[in-house]
Structures are given as structure tokens and as C-alpha cells.
Amino acid sequence: MKKNWWKIAAVVLVLYSIIAGFLLKVPVLPILHETIRNLYFHVTMWFSMIILLFVSVWNSVRYLSGFNSKYDIVAKEAVHISIVFGLCGLATGMLWANYTWGEPWPNDPKLNGVAIAMLFYFAYLVLRNSIDEEQKRARIAAIYNIFAFVMFIVFTMILPRMTDSLHPGNGGNPGFGKYEDIDNNMRMVFYPAIIGWTLIGTWIMQLGIRYHKLNTIIHSNKN
Amino acid sequence: MNKYKITFLTTILGLLSAVAYSQEAQQQVEMADAMRQSGKIYVVVAVLCIVFLGIVAYLISIDRKVSRLESKMKDNK
């Protein structure tokens, strides 16, 4: 139980974000109306994804500085759950865009950028599966992961800021914070939601890692 | 005769007051109607909580299965 306190924290934080996210007051804005509450669910997907992708890169770097395969597994599982969060982010974003921007996929640089960036991570998984030798796979995947993360940041955070984007905080479109679209009330839900979902992701990631470890033990016993 | 009259009157009045009281009670006392408010957003919140907790319960069950397997592996070693 002592080791699992963060899992409880994850559940409590997300539960709080669901309850408070629907019941607390939000700023009254045109177009957005009540959908501003999507901030607690759609945007948290992306934040959690980026945090977990950073965890992945961090573990790839650690793998490269010692070649301990433990870190390689963490990097892989972090990418897995990040992709799940990313797909949820895309799906919820398309739904939201449909009712606020008029179509599910407006030609927005952030959308196109993130679609390309997601492909980098699909390629990461394909690359991993295409190499049989463990050491080689881990090494190439780790180096590729570093590039993929840099490209992800470039395509989702830097390039959209250089042109006009519908997303707040990009191009001529100031961020939520600057416009004061979101007030402190919203931040009280938004930040806990990010932490909660990131911890949920970590939990699922940890399960994947543990499954992987058991799998390797079984295989080594067979041989 | 008088006795009967009095009993009859008290019963009628008593019944009337009970009806009146219950009507008053219906107007004033609000009970457990958070879920029945016009917006009914609480219902949506409750549904989402149930879905989320269901997924969490499933996660916990997987977690425990993996833990059991891990301890089994340790014993075998």
C-alpha cells in the first residue's frame, strides 16, 4: 500500500477534475460556451503525452549512457501510453473543433504538425519491431527516440507559433493565460488534472514494464 | 350524540390538517433533488465518475494479477 500512494493520488486527482470540471464556474465566452471545460480533458491529454514522451527520451538518454536494457523498456512503454493519449487528444480535439471551428480538421498548423509528429512515433514502434537483435534494437531506438522527440517539439510547439493557428498561444493568437480566457478557478482544476492524468499514464506504463519483465523471465527460463 | 359529533369533527379536522401539512411539506422540504435539477448536469458527472472508476477498477485488477505473477516468479527462482 505504501508504494501505491501515487496510484490513489492519480485516481483522486482525475476524479476531482471530472467533478470540479463540470460543476465549477467557468468564464462565459462566445463560440466556446461550455466547451471551455474541454480544457480539463482534451488539453490534459496532450500535456500528459508530452510529459510522458519526455520521460521516454530521458530514459533513452540513460540507456545510451550505460546500455542498461531496463531503461530501454521504460522508454518503449512510455511511448506506448503516450500514443494512446495522443490518439485520445486527436479524437477529442476533432470533436471539439467540429463544433467551435466549424470542421473537424481545419487546416491548422498545429493539427497538421501533430499528425506528422505522431507518425514519427508510429515509425519508432515499427523501427523497434523490425530489429531482432536486442542490443542493436535498443541502441537504434534510443537514438531515434531523441530525434523523434526533438521533431515532435518542433512540429507541435515551434512551427505552429511561426504562422497563424486557431489554437491559443500560437501565431497571432495569444495563449489562454494572456487573454485571461481561463481564470484562476480553471487553473485550480486544470493543473491537478494534468498531474492526475500523467500519473494514470505512469501507472499504465508501469504495468507494461512489469509485464515485459515477466515475459523476459519466462523466455529466459525456457531457453 | 355530542360525543360522536366531537370525534367526527376531530377526525375530519385531523385528516384535513394532515393533508394541509403534507402539501406544505411538499412545497418546502426539498430532498435529494440535486440529480433532478433542470440542468441535470450532476447525472452526467455521475456517469463519467462511474465510467472512470470502472476503468480504474479494471486497472487495479490487472495490477493485482501482475503482482501475483511477480511473487510467483520470485518463489520459483
Side-chain angles (χ1 to χ4, degrees):
Chain A
M1 216 53 197
K2 243 180 191 172
K3 279 192 300 186
N4 292 335
W5 64 269
W6 58 275
K7 292 173 188 170
I8 298 165
V11 174
V12 169
L13 284 173
V14 174
L15 214 52
Y16 160 74
S17 82
I18 292 173
I19 296 167
F22 277 98
L23 302 183
L24 285 189
K25 274 213 166 75
V26 290
V28 179
L29 296 171
I31 302 172
L32 277 173
H33 304 289
E34 291 278 4
T35 68
I36 196 170
R37 294 181 197 274
N38 271 349
L39 178 86
Y40 309 134
F41 306 102
H42 162 75
V43 186
T44 44
M45 286 292 116
W46 294 112
F47 273 64
S48 312
M49 183 201 192
I50 290 169
I51 293 168
L52 288 166
L53 284 179
F54 181 75
V55 169
S56 172
V57 169
W58 179 243
N59 279 286
S60 282
V61 171
R62 280 214 284 189
Y63 173 78
L64 288 174
S65 63
F67 300 112
N68 186 341
S69 65
K70 182 172 90 184
Y71 298 126
D72 178 54
I73 293 161
V74 178
K76 186 191 85 173
E77 292 300 334
V79 167
H80 276 176
I81 186 63
S82 296
I83 285 176
V84 173
F85 277 171
L87 290 175
C88 287
L90 270 185
T92 53
M94 281 166 75
L95 193 64
W96 195 5
N98 197 20
Y99 295 102
T100 49
W101 294 340
E103 47 181 332
W105 199 276
N107 250 333
D108 185 75
K110 196 129 181 162
L111 296 183
N112 294 334
V114 93
I116 297 165
M118 292 283 284
L119 288 180
F120 285 127
Y121 281 100
F122 287 131
Y124 171 81
L125 295 181
V126 172
L127 179 75
R128 284 194 72 95
N129 286 335
S130 64
I131 305 169
D132 281 332
E133 202 200 321
E134 228 168 85
Q135 291 274 320
K136 207 172 171 185
R137 180 210 296 149
R139 217 171 293 188
I140 293 171
I143 294 164
Y144 179 86
N145 195 15
I146 295 168
F147 280 106
F149 185 69
V150 171
M151 291 314 259
F152 185 87
I153 296 297
V154 168
F155 273 92
T156 58
M157 318 264 264
I158 300 171
L159 287 181
R161 281 195 166 73
M162 300 176 80
T163 57
D164 274 341
S165 169
L166 292 163
H167 277 89
N170 297 288
N173 203 343
F176 269 128
K178 208 171 160 190
Y179 240 17
E180 286 174 1
D181 281 353
I182 77 168
D183 53 12
N184 283 331
N185 242 346
M186 289 194 78
R187 289 200 183 86
M188 293 283 284
V189 182
F190 183 46
Y191 298 142
I194 294 171
I195 299 168
W197 279 109
T198 308
L199 286 177
I200 292 276
T202 315
W203 185 1
I204 297 170
M205 179 182 94
Q206 189 222 32
L207 280 175
I209 294 164
R210 283 159 68 188
Y211 164 79
H212 202 279
K213 274 183 190 158
L214 288 172
N215 214 14
T216 39
I217 291 171
I218 289 171
H219 277 279
S220 62
N221 281 357
K222 264 185 194 166
N223 292 337
Chain B
M1 191 63 198
N2 229 352
K3 213 175 166 189
Y4 286 119
K5 248 184 190 168
I6 288 168
T7 0
F8 182 72
L9 266 177
T10 38
T11 342
I12 288 289
L13 284 175
L15 278 170
L16 274 176
S17 71
V19 170
Y21 182 77
S22 72
Q23 266 177 355
E24 196 183 23
Q26 269 175 9
Q27 276 163 9
Q28 281 179 354
V29 183
E30 296 187 341
M31 285 173 74
D33 45 13
M35 301 287 245
R36 296 186 189 86
Q37 272 176 359
S38 55
K40 298 195 182 180
I41 189 69
Y42 296 98
V43 180
V44 181
V45 175
V47 165
L48 274 171
C49 289
I50 291 167
V51 169
F52 177 66
L53 287 178
I55 291 170
V56 166
Y58 186 56
L59 255 181
I60 291 170
S61 89
I62 295 173
D63 197 304
R64 289 178 63 179
K65 272 181 207 160
V66 172
S67 297
R68 252 196 307 253
L69 213 55
E70 276 169 349
S71 59
K72 219 180 191 175
M73 286 286 186
K74 242 180 210 166
D75 294 340
N76 280 357
K77 260 186 184 173

